[in-house]
Amino acid sequence: MNAPNTYRAQPDERGHFGQFGGRYVAETLMPLILELEREYRAAKADPAFAAQFDDLMNHYVGRPSPLYHAERLSEAVREGAGTGPNGERLGAQIWFKRDELNHTGAHKINNCIGQILLAIRMGKTRIIAETGAGQHGVATAAVCARFGLPCVIYMGAKDVERQQPNVFRMKLLGAEVRPVTSGAATLSDAMNEGLRDWVANVHDTFYIIGTAAGPHPYPELVRDFQSIIGREARAQMLERTGRLPDLLCAAIGGGSNAIGLFHPFLDDESVGMLGVEAAGHGLEGSEHAASLAGGFPGVLHGNKTYLLQDEDGQIAEGHSISAGLDYPGIGPEHAWLRDIGRVEYTSATDQDALDAFQLLCRTEGIIPALEPAHAIAAVTKRARTMRDDQIILANLCGRGDKDIFTVANALGVAI
Ligand SMILES: *Cc1c(COP(=O)(O)O)cnc(C)c1O
């Protein structure tokens, strides 16, 4: 690493965070990857690029998103938390970064805006992307419509089946949705297909990757675009409370909303961080999507990281009630932050998430997506072990409209 005195290190010149990351891609892609990196460095140094990004964040996405003190949720969690060893009241104050209020309903749009501006800067005229639940596909289709670029979305055939409302949204926004039938016909296969298309069409095509994974420089640039979450939250928290939070918390699929929240705080020693993977039906079996808890290092989608895989390196299919969390890998920066001990990682089951989902609905009048419901589940547990003057800040990275059918089904309600 080039800056050993900081956790906010850049990856090295080949894109490694410690042993993780890198760019394991076909030779034909190397020139494009290098061009992308050059262009990204230039964009990063260009005030006009930042100004364009900020303008769209304010007026198209609706930023800054609010910072919200969830007082009734905090109170509900404090009830029954009791007192600590020195008689102090337990039950931390829970705050949310409200990224579910963004245009298209989640944090994904932050990254899509950044990448499409980069694509335009590079003179690319065709956009491709992969999607699982469809949230990244919808956000990509929206920015393509906004800039008048044709858009192809690769989506596992099984997900196309399961996520009809988002498939229709993408089509309304003018995207072509291509079902992928290889492998398990889900997110991981869609990403393989996206990389294949990119190899074949590098001359005019830009691949907008949806999470902080993929070959270098994607993990870094996705992190940088999503870091608007943490930068805003840090300033808002200081302004509202005069202090930094004690703990940050975010759900992890590939890790983009989490790294976006965490990164601007990494050098604040007093701030703890907790990433929450999807434990599905439990970590004992294979029905989960916890790559850190249940996987080991390997190479997938152009980078080295923790992966759900068998002893032969065959990628296992993740499971979670939340389609946005069932990616079999995790961004390489998280793998590194875990190994050096800067960020703590835990998991929440489908049932934990469902319980937290309902608790938030009833205490705060907010219907969250099932992804952040995993983070809320971990927050409610952790809050009971912290003092009532301590602060937890969780990223509410998506809203629940897309999930009401899944939740109704899980609760045995026919709608
Ligand atoms: C896609 C998605 C996720 C998972 O992706 P990350 O890259 O881990 O952030 C989490 N929450 C929501 C609402 C999503 O749409």
Side-chain angles (χ1 to χ4, degrees):
M1 308 302 298
N2 53 10
N5 57 344
T6 172
Y7 292 110
R8 299 176 63 192
Q10 302 305 327
D12 71 12
E13 66 284 357
R14 288 173 308 132
H16 289 100
F17 296 92
Q19 64 158 309
F20 303 105
R23 43 186 171 222
Y24 299 82
V25 295
E27 272 312 309
T28 43
L29 267 186
M30 267 320 268
L32 192 84
I33 288 274
L34 294 173
E35 186 199 346
L36 174 63
E37 188 182 358
R38 252 192 324 274
E39 203 58 51
Y40 179 56
R41 300 270 167 252
K44 216 169 162 173
D46 181 357
F49 185 85
Q52 207 178 3
F53 180 77
D54 289 345
D55 185 72
L56 285 157
M57 285 295 130
N58 295 343
H59 305 297
Y60 188 67
V61 175
R63 305 201 71 95
S65 64
L67 183 77
Y68 174 68
H69 185 190
E71 293 184 61
R72 274 191 22 94
L73 176 66
S74 305
E75 192 52 48
V77 165
R78 201 174 306 127
E79 258 168 46
T83 51
N86 302 316
E88 68 276 22
R89 266 193 95 194
L90 298 178
Q93 301 296 323
I94 300 167
W95 291 64
F96 289 120
K97 181 62 174 158
R98 301 284 309 273
D99 256 54
E100 98 280 13
L101 295 175
N102 294 340
H103 178 46
T104 68
H107 64 290
K108 297 271 177 14
I109 192 89
N110 305 327
N111 170 47
C112 289
I113 294 277
Q115 288 198 49
I116 202 162
L117 291 180
L118 205 49
I120 292 165
R121 200 184 156 96
M122 293 173 76
K124 302 299 178 188
T125 54
R126 175 177 178 265
I127 301 292
I128 59 171
E130 85 294 336
T131 197
Q135 291 302 103
H136 178 57
V138 168
T140 303
V143 300
C144 286
R146 166 68 182 73
F147 287 96
L149 293 182
C151 171
V152 171
I153 306 290
Y154 289 98
M155 187 169 188
K158 205 189 259 173
D159 290 332
V160 169
E161 206 61 42
R162 295 192 283 200
Q163 308 288 340
Q164 278 299 322
N166 272 344
V167 172
F168 186 57
R169 282 187 188 103
M170 287 182 256
K171 289 182 177 167
L172 284 173
L173 293 164
E176 180 196 338
V177 180
R178 290 195 190 159
V180 176
T181 52
S182 57
T186 56
L187 175 59
S188 181
D189 312 292
M191 197 151 171
N192 286 331
E193 210 52 44
L195 287 165
R196 242 172 250 137
D197 179 316
W198 199 28
V199 172
N201 299 293
V202 286
H203 56 286
D204 69 347
T205 297
F206 190 99
Y207 183 8
I208 298 188
I209 292 183
T211 190
H216 177 65
Y218 278 102
E220 178 188 342
L221 67 86
V222 173
R223 173 199 75 194
D224 289 347
F225 293 138
Q226 292 294 4
S227 289
I228 192 166
I229 300 171
R231 280 199 309 276
E232 282 178 7
R234 196 174 181 285
Q236 288 168 318
M237 188 57 88
L238 284 172
E239 191 192 315
R240 298 274 296 282
T241 69
R243 50 173 297 215
L244 293 174
D246 298 283
L247 182 72
L248 304 175
C249 186
I252 300 208
S256 71
N257 88 85
I259 200 71
L261 176 66
F262 296 169
H263 196 258
F265 292 90
L266 281 173
D267 286 335
D268 296 312
E269 263 175 56
S270 66
V271 180
M273 300 180 195
L274 182 62
V276 186
E277 297 189 298
H281 296 318
L283 295 179
E284 319 73 54
S286 59
E287 302 267 280
H288 64 78
S291 333
L292 287 178
F296 53 95
V299 172
L300 179 69
H301 300 143
N303 72 99
K304 183 177 177 192
T305 188
Y306 281 87
L307 300 171
L308 297 176
Q309 55 186 324
D310 67 18
E311 311 83 71
D312 299 326
Q314 291 296 320
I315 299 306
E317 200 191 347
H319 163 82
S320 168
I321 189 171
S322 150
L325 297 185
D326 66 5
Y327 183 62
I330 180 166
E333 193 165 1
H334 286 290
W336 176 67
L337 289 168
R338 184 296 286 241
D339 277 14
I340 62 172
R342 176 61 183 98
V343 178
E344 183 191 351
Y345 295 85
T346 185
S347 62
T349 65
D350 289 354
Q351 188 60 52
D352 296 336
L354 271 171
D355 293 344
F357 176 99
Q358 294 171 84
L359 181 65
L360 188 68
C361 288
R362 290 179 189 177
T363 53
E364 297 292 344
I366 297 172
I367 302 179
L370 280 168
E371 292 89 355
H374 287 71
I376 298 160
V379 162
T380 57
K381 246 189 227 167
R382 190 56 63 95
R384 293 192 179 99
T385 69
M386 292 167 64
R387 290 192 319 269
D388 71 347
D389 62 340
Q390 292 187 295
I391 293 176
I392 303 180
L393 168 57
N395 196 19
L396 205 48
C397 56
R399 56 180 174 245
D401 311 36
K402 70 184 175 62
D403 291 324
I404 53 168
F405 297 101
T406 307
V407 172
N409 191 39
L411 298 178
V413 178
I415 53 174

